[in-house]
Amino acid sequence: MAKAPVLTPQAEDFPRWYQDLINKAELADNGPVRGTMVIRPYGYGLWERMQQEMDARIKAAGALNAYFPLFIPQSYLTREAEHVEGFAPELAVVTHGGGKELEEPVVVRPTSETIINDYFSKWVQSYRDLPLLINQWANVVRWEMRPRVFLRTTEFLWQEGHTAHATYEDARDYAAHIHRNVYADFMENVLAIDVVLGRKTPRERFAGAVNTLTLEGMMGDGKALQMGTSHELGTNFSKAFNTTYLSKEGRQELAWQTSWGSSTRMVGGLIMSHGDDAGLRVPPRLAPVQAVVLAIKGDDAVLAKVREIGERLTAAGVRVQVDDRTDTPFGRRAVDWELKGVPVRIEVGPRDLEAGTAMLARRIAGGKEPVRIESLAELLPKVLEEDQALLLKQSRDRREARTSDVSTVTEAAEAANAGGWARIPWATLGQEGEAVLAEQAVSVRCLIAEDGSVPESDDEPGAVAVVGRAY
Amino acid sequence: MAKAPVLTPQAEDFPRWYQDLINKAELADNGPVRGTMVIRPYGYGLWERMQQEMDARIKAAGALNAYFPLFIPQSYLTREAEHVEGFAPELAVVTHGGGKELEEPVVVRPTSETIINDYFSKWVQSYRDLPLLINQWANVVRWEMRPRVFLRTTEFLWQEGHTAHATYEDARDYAAHIHRNVYADFMENVLAIDVVLGRKTPRERFAGAVNTLTLEGMMGDGKALQMGTSHELGTNFSKAFNTTYLSKEGRQELAWQTSWGSSTRMVGGLIMSHGDDAGLRVPPRLAPVQAVVLAIKGDDAVLAKVREIGERLTAAGVRVQVDDRTDTPFGRRAVDWELKGVPVRIEVGPRDLEAGTAMLARRIAGGKEPVRIESLAELLPKVLEEDQALLLKQSRDRREARTSDVSTVTEAAEAANAGGWARIPWATLGQEGEAVLAEQAVSVRCLIAEDGSVPESDDEPGAVAVVGRAY
């Protein structure tokens, strides 16, 4: 009799597989208030590593971290017309504080453009104060009607960057810099997720932006996930909040602004990009635990050896965990590490010791073979880099294999509904075709230029729309 | 004519000095919703360094980070009677979400014991699951009637640890371990703040705890600041949430719990411990910028030299910032770095270059003298460690000089009102004396044992009460 699978197979029911994996790998639980989530230690460990890698890139881009309040006066949101229209339906409103009804209700931030501009307008006086480059790691709240853990949650964790610049060009270039050198670099080189970099159509733009740059990843079921966005805000918010500066020439000028965000949704993207029927597969450069050293049995020589291997690998710069919980059956522990997607398992039992070897099980490339214990410290960094590259290749191959070039709106919808993406000339599709697709829950994920770069305007000649269903 | 002081002098008006410093050193602003704050990049940089140092100690204590929701169903808080009584007056309540009135209002977490226990009760099944050691970095909200930036704010940032143990002894020892090896170690060795470790009286205990351990620091004006607390919760919350486990002997047992927290209030403590009339003084081990290298003038040789010094000191492990903003007058920049409390300034002008020297200005020990540029990389780490030790010594000396032993309640109140602390036998003071002091806004900061250690019970013979006014 075949063993019952640990997870619902992907091919049977992808959303169910996703939820199973999150439960069994102990990544998260649903919170008691609808749409909220509890991020468990292993899931939070993934997010912490994302934060570290992102934070280093954000700082390298010159932005400094700061913290703005959770509570925003309701009136602030109404100052930018499109912004309030976009966010009003999703707001959580605090009406009582300290046992009393508040004179003005406050909203829990859905994003911080408004409150941050209130301070930018005080801090920015002269051209010398620009560019002002701020980032914030915070929780935000957007009331979700159809919540799904990590992907759409009422509360989520994210970073939001907010900047002010002296000129349109400087703001535009900075938004593009974040898009390419922070987000794409992180997603491709750490998350090992292939992303298409493009420009949102006016319909899909952030509420209050004049241009939204996006990174779209293809998940295991062929649907798209918006992994992060970088917006040019033009002078929309600086007008609303009077964020002006005195130029070198002595004139009062409006500041040009950007904002950009990425969130715990990336954890969902990680799962749906790299997971398989045995569980998660974590790219080595991200993995909080890159290698686990398992004692098969609790005898003293084995326990001493796994600890020694752990120390040697740590010294070689590998993030290691030693699993010496031999009161839990070995098989159960092995399945658990597989579920959690730790890239490499090193298994040591009494017979291995005699032979001077350990079993090396590779979660990403697959396979299991004996290797000499002395060679592990040299071998592992190479194995991990191989596996990192393999994950990115698999992600890229999938996107290429499941994207087709089409020339009609009907074909585009068919491709999307068959679990893939379509490329269609934007001149053929247009905003009307986009509206037709929307009726079938198919959307333009982004526009790309003819040469694959990011279009510089909404109507760049030769631009191609990438179309698909999305999370 | 003497220059106007940058800050209101401490001796003239300490609270005003505190507020001036926070504004002028660009640490924080008041938020638009009463009692909230905007933490500006330099202030947030201090908090980030606190987080790094604390997080390493928390992880060394075996706790793992996780994240629980901001929103807690109102009914959860009522399950533990003392807890709800303590927090009900401070709650912010969300009544509307997604455009509708909610069926059950939700509260914004004032602390997370209740929601975390809801999950502990699911996760903890067997003795094998214990101890369960969790920490969370998060924002919390407690509606503040008399807000003061960093010290009492409606929203603040903190870490809150929550643990479950199989036995009373294990929980008690863990709360003490956090108190001593995480909090006291960090405060003394990084913040350079002398803290008295003691036990809270029943009156001052956390709502829902059976024992609260505290760390009390003496501020520049002789008042006390509670810098952090570690609580034994007994089985109060495990009873309320049915957090039980199957023991080795096969019995269902209640888990024993702890919780412990420290917050952005520590930034306020840092300012009030080490600040002087020229601004903040940041202990070198904490400082995001330990040394700033200033170009006095914008000539090419000077600029090249300050950058070279910056690189050399960075290579020597010093956290350095190069200040080459020579379009701002040198004097203004020097005052600004003094305000921000950067431990060491290295000032380089054309004349220094000729002599092969730079001026070394020490913010903490004071003084300014020329030093050979080649010796800087060797000299600086020593200077920084000296300054670190000096700050702790000054903090300790102040506490000792301004603490007096008294034998009556009247004397205790006098000592507190004169700007210091009193030590009085707890047997003399007692809960009645404590109530009398409370009428004058004087409180028992903690009880300490005769030998200076932390008392093991509320009525330990020979215990001494440390009494003072507090923030």
Side-chain angles (χ1 to χ4, degrees):
Chain A
M1 200 179 88
K3 262 204 303 188
V6 178
L7 307 175
T8 304
Q10 288 190 338
E12 194 179 307
D13 185 342
F14 195 85
R16 182 69 181 266
W17 163 85
Y18 177 76
Q19 193 56 59
D20 277 5
L21 192 158
I22 286 171
N23 295 340
K24 297 266 173 79
E26 301 184 339
L27 297 174
D29 275 358
N30 290 314
V33 173
R34 185 174 155 76
T36 62
M37 66 176 160
V38 174
I39 310 179
R40 300 185 67 173
Y42 190 66
Y44 197 81
L46 296 171
W47 176 240
E48 273 185 307
R49 285 284 305 131
M50 291 184 188
Q51 286 187 298
Q52 284 166 13
E53 294 283 342
M54 289 277 295
D55 197 63
R57 285 166 175 78
I58 290 168
K59 286 185 168 129
L64 295 172
N65 288 334
Y67 188 79
F68 292 81
L70 175 70
F71 292 153
I72 303 179
Q74 206 164 31
S75 59
Y76 278 36
L77 266 90
T78 60
R79 293 204 208 166
E80 211 289 330
E82 282 188 23
H83 192 68
V84 69
E85 199 187 319
F87 284 105
E90 301 180 353
L91 296 177
V93 185
V94 176
T95 54
H96 291 72
K100 288 188 185 155
E101 188 165 355
L102 302 180
E103 283 177 27
E104 183 187 350
V106 301
V107 303
V108 182
R109 65 179 161 223
T111 180
S112 303
E113 276 77 6
T114 59
I115 194 163
I116 287 182
N117 259 282
D118 192 29
Y119 288 85
F120 275 22
S121 69
K122 292 169 195 160
W123 299 343
V124 173
Q125 299 295 329
S126 137
Y127 69 93
R128 283 196 188 83
D129 301 322
L130 298 175
L132 179 57
L133 311 173
I134 296 287
N135 179 61
Q136 147 167 305
W137 290 97
N139 53 345
V140 286
V141 169
R142 298 176 187 178
W143 214 266
E144 266 299 341
M145 293 303 143
R146 296 169 303 125
R148 193 175 296 184
V149 178
F150 288 123
L151 298 175
R152 278 192 312 273
T153 48
T154 291
E155 179 192 9
F156 55 91
L157 304 183
W158 78 342
Q159 64 64 219
E160 49 178 320
H162 296 270
T163 70
H165 305 259
T167 63
Y168 160 73
E169 289 76 14
D170 196 37
R172 177 198 64 193
D173 293 350
Y174 198 77
H177 179 76
I178 294 291
H179 188 222
R180 175 74 258 166
N181 298 302
V182 175
Y183 291 161
D185 182 69
F186 169 71
M187 291 169 194
E188 292 173 356
N189 295 320
V190 181
L191 295 187
I193 297 178
D194 170 75
V195 279
V196 172
L197 278 66
R199 179 185 178 99
K200 286 286 183 192
T201 61
R203 184 191 180 99
E204 298 284 336
R205 227 174 243 157
F206 175 74
V210 299
N211 179 26
T212 290
L213 304 173
T214 183
L215 304 99
E216 302 284 326
M218 184 187 276
M219 303 294 104
D221 60 354
K223 286 171 77 172
L225 184 73
Q226 178 180 302
M227 300 280 296
T229 46
S230 182
H231 315 292
E232 293 175 44
L233 302 177
T235 56
N236 287 346
F237 288 89
S238 60
K239 265 182 214 141
F241 286 84
N242 198 29
T243 309
T244 61
Y245 70 95
L246 192 67
S247 73
K248 269 188 194 167
E249 295 73 31
R251 282 196 303 271
Q252 284 294 332
E253 305 273 5
L254 287 168
W256 295 82
Q257 298 192 268
T258 81
S259 70
W260 26 282
S262 65
S263 73
T264 37
R265 160 171 264 222
M266 291 192 291
V267 179
L270 183 82
I271 298 167
M272 294 195 298
S273 288
H274 300 318
D276 64 19
D277 286 347
L280 184 56
R281 299 186 303 164
V282 184
R285 290 194 200 152
L286 181 77
V289 181
Q290 298 177 307
V292 60
V293 189
L294 287 103
I296 295 178
K297 285 200 172 161
D299 86 42
D300 287 349
V302 168
L303 292 175
K305 185 54 83 179
V306 293
R307 286 166 199 156
E308 184 200 317
I309 295 173
E311 281 163 26
R312 256 199 270 167
L313 290 178
T314 301
V318 179
R319 293 187 288 273
V320 182
Q321 186 162 329
V322 170
D323 178 353
D324 53 10
R325 299 167 302 158
T326 48
D327 53 347
T328 303
F330 168 71
R332 212 167 101 192
R333 288 182 289 139
V335 166
D336 189 54
W337 290 115
E338 212 163 55
L339 266 167
K340 290 194 156 75
V342 170
V344 167
R345 294 198 311 278
I346 296 156
E347 304 171 354
V348 181
R351 268 183 300 176
D352 300 296
L353 276 197
E354 276 172 37
T357 60
M359 290 303 286
L360 179 74
R362 291 174 66 171
R363 178 70 182 88
I364 293 160
K368 188 163 166 174
E369 57 174 12
V371 297
R372 298 212 56 78
I373 288 176
E374 299 91 76
S375 69
L376 279 170
E378 206 197 324
L379 187 62
L380 237 63
K382 287 179 208 158
V383 162
L384 293 171
E385 277 302 292
E386 261 178 48
D387 290 347
Q388 178 79 30
L390 180 60
L391 279 179
L392 179 60
K393 184 179 180 306
Q394 290 176 347
S395 170
R396 186 155 292 161
D397 287 350
R398 175 172 57 223
R399 197 252 307 166
E400 283 171 3
R402 295 172 79 162
T403 300
S404 46
D405 288 296
V406 303
S407 52
T408 69
V409 177
T410 310
E411 287 167 349
E414 279 169 10
N417 289 327
W421 293 356
R423 274 190 298 246
I424 180 170
W426 179 231
T428 307
L429 184 64
Q431 298 202 19
E432 286 139 52
E434 189 181 16
V436 171
L437 291 176
E439 286 166 20
Q440 304 174 58
V442 175
S443 53
V444 177
R445 305 313 308 151
C446 62
L447 302 177
I448 52 176
E450 231 170 346
D451 63 357
S453 67
V454 179
E456 290 186 8
S457 70
D458 289 342
D459 50 8
E460 184 161 303
V464 172
V466 177
V467 165
R469 300 177 74 90
Y471 281 96
Chain B
M1 199 178 93
K3 263 204 305 190
V6 178
L7 308 174
T8 304
Q10 289 190 338
E12 193 179 308
D13 186 341
F14 195 85
R16 182 72 180 266
W17 164 85
Y18 177 76
Q19 194 56 59
D20 278 3
L21 192 158
I22 286 171
N23 295 341
K24 297 265 174 80
E26 301 184 341
L27 297 174
D29 274 359
N30 290 313
V33 173
R34 186 174 153 76
T36 62
M37 66 175 160
V38 173
I39 310 179
R40 300 186 69 173
Y42 190 67
Y44 197 80
L46 297 171
W47 176 240
E48 273 184 308
R49 285 283 307 130
M50 291 184 188
Q51 287 188 297
Q52 285 167 11
E53 294 284 342
M54 289 277 295
D55 197 63
R57 285 167 175 78
I58 289 168
K59 286 184 169 128
L64 295 172
N65 287 334
Y67 188 79
F68 292 82
L70 175 71
F71 291 153
I72 303 179
Q74 207 166 30
S75 59
Y76 279 35
L77 265 90
T78 60
R79 294 205 207 165
E80 211 289 329
E82 281 188 23
H83 192 66
V84 69
E85 199 187 318
F87 284 104
E90 300 179 355
L91 297 176
V93 185
V94 177
T95 54
H96 291 72
K100 287 185 184 158
E101 188 165 354
L102 303 179
E103 283 175 28
E104 183 187 351
V106 301
V107 302
V108 182
R109 65 180 160 223
T111 179
S112 302
E113 276 76 7
T114 59
I115 195 163
I116 287 183
N117 260 282
D118 192 28
Y119 289 84
F120 275 23
S121 68
K122 293 169 194 156
W123 300 342
V124 173
Q125 299 295 330
S126 137
Y127 69 92
R128 280 195 189 84
D129 301 322
L130 298 175
L132 179 57
L133 311 174
I134 296 287
N135 180 61
Q136 147 167 303
W137 290 97
N139 54 345
V140 286
V141 169
R142 299 177 186 176
W143 214 265
E144 265 301 339
M145 294 304 142
R146 296 170 303 126
R148 192 176 299 185
V149 179
F150 289 123
L151 298 175
R152 278 192 314 273
T153 48
T154 290
E155 180 192 10
F156 55 90
L157 304 182
W158 79 341
Q159 64 66 222
E160 49 178 322
H162 297 271
T163 70
H165 305 259
T167 63
Y168 159 73
E169 289 76 15
D170 195 37
R172 178 198 63 193
D173 292 351
Y174 197 77
H177 180 75
I178 294 291
H179 188 223
R180 174 76 255 166
N181 297 301
V182 175
Y183 291 160
D185 182 68
F186 168 70
M187 291 169 194
E188 292 173 355
N189 295 319
V190 180
L191 295 187
I193 297 177
D194 171 75
V195 280
V196 172
L197 278 67
R199 179 184 179 100
K200 286 287 184 192
T201 61
R203 182 189 182 100
E204 298 284 335
R205 228 174 241 157
F206 176 74
V210 299
N211 180 24
T212 290
L213 303 173
T214 183
L215 304 98
E216 303 284 326
M218 185 187 277
M219 303 296 103
D221 60 352
K223 286 171 76 171
L225 184 72
Q226 178 180 303
M227 300 280 297
T229 46
S230 181
H231 316 290
E232 294 175 45
L233 302 177
T235 57
N236 287 346
F237 288 89
S238 59
K239 265 183 212 142
F241 286 84
N242 198 28
T243 309
T244 61
Y245 71 95
L246 193 67
S247 72
K248 269 187 192 164
E249 294 74 29
R251 281 195 303 269
Q252 283 295 332
E253 305 273 5
L254 287 168
W256 294 82
Q257 298 192 269
T258 79
S259 70
W260 26 283
S262 64
S263 74
T264 38
R265 161 172 262 223
M266 290 192 292
V267 179
L270 184 80
I271 298 166
M272 293 196 298
S273 287
H274 299 318
D276 64 19
D277 285 346
L280 184 56
R281 299 187 301 165
V282 185
R285 291 194 198 152
L286 181 75
V289 180
Q290 296 177 309
V292 61
V293 189
L294 286 104
I296 296 179
K297 284 202 173 159
D299 84 45
D300 287 349
V302 168
L303 292 175
K305 186 54 83 179
V306 293
R307 284 163 199 157
E308 183 202 317
I309 295 173
E311 282 163 26
R312 255 199 270 167
L313 291 178
T314 301
V318 179
R319 293 188 288 274
V320 182
Q321 185 162 329
V322 170
D323 179 352
D324 52 10
R325 300 168 300 158
T326 46
D327 53 347
T328 303
F330 168 73
R332 212 167 101 191
R333 289 183 288 138
V335 165
D336 190 53
W337 291 115
E338 211 164 56
L339 265 168
K340 289 194 156 73
V342 169
V344 167
R345 293 198 312 277
I346 296 155
E347 304 171 353
V348 181
R351 267 182 299 177
D352 301 296
L353 277 195
E354 277 172 37
T357 59
M359 290 303 285
L360 180 74
R362 292 174 66 171
R363 179 70 182 88
I364 293 160
K368 187 163 167 175
E369 56 174 13
V371 296
R372 298 212 56 78
I373 287 175
E374 300 91 77
S375 69
L376 279 170
E378 205 198 323
L379 186 62
L380 236 64
K382 287 179 210 160
V383 162
L384 293 171
E385 278 302 292
E386 261 178 48
D387 290 346
Q388 178 79 30
L390 179 60
L391 278 179
L392 179 59
K393 184 179 181 302
Q394 290 176 346
S395 169
R396 187 155 291 161
D397 287 351
R398 175 172 57 222
R399 197 252 306 164
E400 282 171 3
R402 295 172 79 162
T403 301
S404 46
D405 287 297
V406 304
S407 52
T408 70
V409 177
T410 309
E411 286 167 348
E414 278 169 9
N417 290 327
W421 293 356
R423 274 190 299 246
I424 181 171
W426 179 231
T428 305
L429 186 63
Q431 300 202 17
E432 286 139 53
E434 190 180 15
V436 171
L437 290 177
E439 287 166 21
Q440 305 174 58
V442 175
S443 53
V444 176
R445 304 314 309 153
C446 61
L447 302 177
I448 53 177
E450 229 170 345
D451 63 358
S453 67
V454 179
E456 292 186 6
S457 70
D458 289 342
D459 50 8
E460 185 162 302
V464 172
V466 177
V467 165
R469 299 177 74 92
Y471 281 96

